[in-house]
Amino acid sequence: STRKESSAASDVYKRQTCGFRGSLSIATADFSPDAGLAGFPLRLPITDAEWRAALKDEDLGLAFLHEGIPLPYERDDDVAQGEVVDAVTPAVWLRLPDFEANAVLEIEVELQADLDAPAAADVWSPSVIGVWHFSDEPTGQDGAPVRNSVRVGDAGMTQGDMQPEQRVPAAHGYGLSFDGVDDMVIAESSFQGQLDSYSASFWARYDLSLIHI
């Protein structure tokens, strides 16, 4: 089963902050106008300068709550690796509570000391068997791991001697730049051979000048 995802534009929610506590009003009609959804992971960019600066403090943990109940989330690549930089907008994948059509979700956000992040796998539906963000930095040698957020043991492996500078800012977080010759990521996942069928989705940006028909 393919993973479900959405890129949240800056106008999907409004943030009201006070210190290191804030709130998000998420208008679900902006990305699901006709129906409610269950277990939907929404990508939320963190654009507020104060919050971006606070995320650099490794002693502070992030929490999202709906009606007092913590919500699972996964910090996106650059935040997870402690690299809150100007070139890339940090973000989180947030598993929303189940909602009906046209619901407005009120989410509380907090930065707390010594708060551990939830397991990334909890963000994704049990039917999702792999989420590779392609945000890991290649080492210049084949076999560098590309982490799988759902199954730690099913990491991808780079091929083609991909170099550290091939980890580049992308439309969302970081991505990998492939040379179109021998660069690839191989995912020899445990699910292969166990399913009759499965689907996959990905985001890609290509250079038209390099395409020859």
Side-chain angles (χ1 to χ4, degrees):
S1 174
T2 185
R3 81 191 209 192
K4 294 186 292 185
E5 61 189 32
S6 175
S7 174
S10 59
D11 58 354
V12 167
Y13 61 89
K14 297 179 181 179
R15 179 184 288 109
Q16 296 176 337
T17 58
C18 179
F20 296 118
R21 293 176 180 266
S23 63
L24 304 176
S25 295
I26 301 178
T28 63
D30 289 345
F31 54 86
S32 181
D34 300 321
L37 293 172
F40 186 78
L42 184 72
R43 190 178 188 278
L44 295 173
I46 301 173
T47 57
D48 182 86
E50 183 179 4
W51 282 78
R52 284 173 60 113
L55 285 170
K56 295 180 181 180
D57 189 339
E58 297 182 356
D59 294 328
L60 293 178
L62 191 60
F64 295 86
L65 303 98
H66 175 67
E67 298 180 350
I69 300 175
L71 300 176
Y73 71 88
E74 179 187 2
R75 293 192 180 196
D76 211 348
D77 43 70
D78 49 310
V79 180
Q81 298 180 17
E83 300 177 6
V84 181
V85 297
D86 292 336
V88 176
T89 299
V92 298
W93 289 96
L94 178 67
R95 184 182 178 96
L96 298 180
D98 297 354
F99 60 87
E100 302 295 331
N102 299 313
V104 176
L105 301 176
E106 301 295 337
I107 309 295
E108 299 298 318
V109 190
E110 298 180 355
L111 279 170
Q112 304 175 11
D114 301 321
L115 182 65
D116 293 330
D122 293 341
V123 176
W124 310 97
S125 165
S127 63
V128 174
I129 53 182
V131 175
W132 297 268
H133 293 300
F134 282 15
S135 57
D136 303 271
E137 184 175 271
T139 62
Q141 297 180 338
D142 288 350
V146 177
R147 62 190 170 91
N148 181 346
S149 295
V150 176
R151 297 185 181 184
V152 176
D154 283 342
M157 299 293 175
T158 61
Q159 296 290 316
D161 297 326
M162 297 183 68
Q163 301 300 309
E165 58 268 23
Q166 289 180 258
R167 177 180 183 252
V168 296
H172 303 295
Y174 282 100
L176 294 177
S177 176
F178 297 86
D179 64 5
V181 179
D182 60 357
D183 288 348
M184 65 184 70
V185 173
I186 298 176
E188 296 181 352
S189 300
S190 60
F191 68 85
Q192 293 181 343
Q194 300 178 13
L195 303 175
D196 293 331
S197 64
Y198 58 89
S199 59
S201 64
F202 64 93
W203 294 332
R205 176 180 178 179
Y206 56 88
D207 188 340
L208 287 174
S209 67
L210 300 178
I211 296 178
H212 304 284
I213 300 176

